Amino acid sequence: MTEKPALATGIASPPADSAENAAARTRTMLWILLVVYIFNFLDRQIVNILAEPIKTDLGLSDTQLGLLAGPAFAVFYALLGIPIARYADKEGSNRVRLIAVALAIWSAMTAVCGLAQNFVQLLFARIGVGVGEAGCTPAAHSLISDAVAPEKRSSAIAFYGLGVPIGSLLGLIIGGVVNDLYGWRVALMLVGAPGLLLALVVLFFLREPRHFRPAEAHAVAAPTQLSTGAAMREIFASRAFVHILIASSVVAFLGYGKALWTISFFIRSHGLSTTEAGLSMAVVLGLAGVFGTWLGGKMADKFGPRDRKHLLTFPAYGMAVAAPILFLGYYMEDWRVAVALLIIPTILNSAYYGPAYGCVQGLVRPQARAIAASIMLFGQNLIGLGFGPFLFGVLSDALQPVAGQESVRWVLYGAAWLGLIPAFFFWRASLRLKAELKSG
């Protein structure tokens, strides 16, 4: 008995993908997004190692320096992140194109930073960097969550999150070396320009999965769109999400503050050059951060299936252990001992990224994933990057009459012990995961 030929519909359905092809495309996507995120943090954080040369050249105060490193970038990043993420969550949007355009904007503005002749010009250029970077991570998290099984989500997002320590590492090394050889302006232009080429790579080698679904999948399984208000209500109805948001915002506040001022601390209190400080911090913030970010994702995927609360156990207990060790690192007079003591706390404090953002993607429906990530980034950047470097600088200026050259060290003492706050909130969030995490 012969089969009847399929009726012609005028629409060619795309061929079904083999598991191997789908896996290969996912790997390609993850690697390209990782490189994009490396450039994201490279361009964002290179000002940390260039802070002292910029301050000297432009005659800035510590408060102005903190403003450039923090609020100038973070306020616009945070405010634009939510509406951009809302666009990314729409079924007809192209997240790949959004990431490419965002990458081109922030890369161009990073190069423009190197042309600034005064504080105001540099301030507006940093704002431009923040505007561009607002379009990257929420869309990237949404893409990853669509492509990766829930039980592998923490590791996949942690892999993307390796861009944070790797980008910071490269920023410290490239910024320190190039500054010593050619100056801070050349360093900024050097790291900004390649991002324009990378934007073309994103456009040509990534594809938006929504645009390649079979026609019948669109007709049968198209998800119901959520209004902004409905998405917000669903997100904030999760007590686990609120605890993770608080914890991650405090982590960012302390992390961004320490990233900038620990470098200044080693230059001022230990007498290191920008190259020496950059290479030393590259070991701590870079290599240790890479290992910690990777380890956090692996631990979550290994122990989370046994009990969902263990998705956040490692970040919670790790940050509690890190606090006293970090204090000792800032206390030591020998800079080599100080750097060595900062390695373990950096590993433990970096382990939260994959578990935290992986949980956030699992606490909401797919139609709200990008906006959920953007709210996390809103907190991390407005509170963390917006106020961390700035308030650390204000406190340093305020303590100078008492502490003199050691004012930054005193600020870092307090920052070390404040790490107990996110440890507590990650622990509280872990207790809610069994009840609130969704299956998909």
Side-chain angles (χ1 to χ4, degrees):
M1 183 176 184
T2 59
E3 294 184 2
K4 294 181 181 180
L7 293 176
T9 62
I11 301 175
S13 296
D17 282 328
S18 68
E20 292 81 3
N21 288 340
R25 276 203 317 277
T26 299
R27 286 193 297 271
T28 300
M29 178 195 71
L30 287 173
W31 277 104
I32 292 177
L33 289 178
L34 170 61
V35 176
V36 169
Y37 206 35
I38 288 171
F39 273 82
N40 184 291
F41 259 79
L42 170 60
D43 292 356
R44 181 188 312 190
Q45 295 292 87
I46 192 172
V47 295
N48 290 347
I49 192 63
L50 302 177
E52 292 298 312
I54 291 173
K55 175 182 178 179
T56 301
D57 190 19
L58 299 182
L60 307 181
S61 67
D62 280 354
T63 299
Q64 288 176 310
L65 205 58
L67 184 64
L68 285 172
F73 173 95
V75 170
F76 286 86
Y77 182 108
L79 292 177
L80 289 173
I82 292 177
I84 292 174
R86 204 59 206 113
Y87 165 79
D89 274 331
K90 291 182 178 179
E91 182 64 16
S93 67
N94 190 319
R95 293 167 290 185
V96 170
R97 187 179 301 161
L98 173 61
I99 292 171
V101 171
L103 171 58
I105 292 172
W106 89 62
S107 298
M109 295 309 297
T110 300
V112 170
C113 285
L115 302 175
Q117 299 299 310
N118 53 53
F119 171 74
V120 174
Q121 291 177 2
L122 188 54
L123 179 71
F124 279 104
R126 282 288 290 171
I127 288 172
V129 177
V131 169
E133 293 200 8
C136 179
T137 293
H141 280 192
S142 179
L143 279 171
I144 292 169
S145 296
D146 281 356
V148 178
E151 62 272 16
K152 298 292 184 181
R153 190 174 288 150
S154 291
S155 291
I157 292 180
F159 181 80
Y160 172 77
L162 291 176
V164 176
I166 295 173
S168 299
L169 181 154
L170 293 176
L172 293 171
I173 295 175
I174 295 172
V177 173
V178 175
N179 171 71
D180 283 347
L181 292 175
Y182 304 108
W184 64 271
R185 299 180 186 279
V186 174
L188 286 167
M189 289 186 279
L190 181 66
V191 300
L196 298 173
L197 296 177
L198 180 59
L200 296 177
V201 172
V202 171
L203 283 175
F204 282 108
F205 289 94
L206 290 188
R207 71 180 195 176
E208 172 54 70
R210 294 167 176 163
H211 296 173
F212 289 85
R213 291 176 183 158
E216 53 272 20
H218 282 289
V220 176
T224 302
Q225 294 298 300
L226 290 175
S227 67
T228 300
M232 289 288 193
R233 286 192 294 273
E234 177 174 320
I235 290 166
F236 283 101
S238 168
R239 290 170 61 187
F241 176 87
V242 173
H243 290 316
I244 293 171
L245 175 63
I246 295 171
S248 299
S249 297
V250 177
V251 168
F253 174 83
L254 299 174
Y256 283 120
K258 289 181 291 188
L260 174 64
W261 294 106
T262 299
I263 294 170
S264 293
F265 161 68
F266 276 101
I267 292 173
R268 297 180 190 182
S269 297
H270 291 289
L272 274 61
S273 68
T274 54
T275 297
E276 291 171 330
L279 291 174
S280 299
M281 287 300 95
V283 173
V284 175
L285 302 179
L287 297 179
V290 167
F291 180 69
T293 304
W294 171 83
L295 182 63
K298 287 296 182 183
M299 293 288 281
D301 282 348
K302 180 177 177 62
F303 295 104
R306 302 179 187 179
D307 189 328
R308 288 182 170 184
K309 73 178 182 180
H310 291 318
L311 289 168
L312 293 174
T313 296
F314 189 61
Y317 289 95
M319 288 183 180
V321 172
I325 305 174
L326 196 58
F327 174 83
L328 287 176
Y330 296 135
Y331 182 80
M332 292 296 166
E333 293 298 330
D334 188 318
W335 71 269
R336 300 168 190 83
V337 176
V339 169
L341 283 171
L342 296 185
I343 293 174
I344 291 177
T346 301
I347 292 172
L348 297 175
N349 286 331
S350 301
Y352 84 97
Y353 189 93
Y357 278 97
C359 286
V360 164
Q361 295 292 292
L363 289 168
V364 299
R365 284 181 282 171
Q367 305 94 292
R369 282 173 174 167
I371 196 169
S374 75
I375 293 170
M376 285 278 289
L377 292 167
F378 181 92
Q380 287 207 293
N381 286 283
L382 191 63
I383 295 172
L385 185 54
F387 291 101
F390 177 64
L391 289 182
F392 277 44
V394 170
L395 288 172
S396 176
D397 282 340
L399 289 171
Q400 277 186 3
V402 178
Q405 189 75 6
E406 296 296 292
S407 62
V408 172
R409 189 197 295 263
W410 286 29
V411 172
L412 293 173
Y413 283 160
W417 291 108
L418 288 176
L420 295 174
I421 296 174
F424 171 76
F425 280 101
F426 277 131
W427 171 73
R428 288 293 304 275
S430 72
L431 303 180
R432 302 292 309 172
L433 294 180
K434 185 175 182 178
E436 296 185 16
L437 273 180
K438 302 182 188 302
S439 59

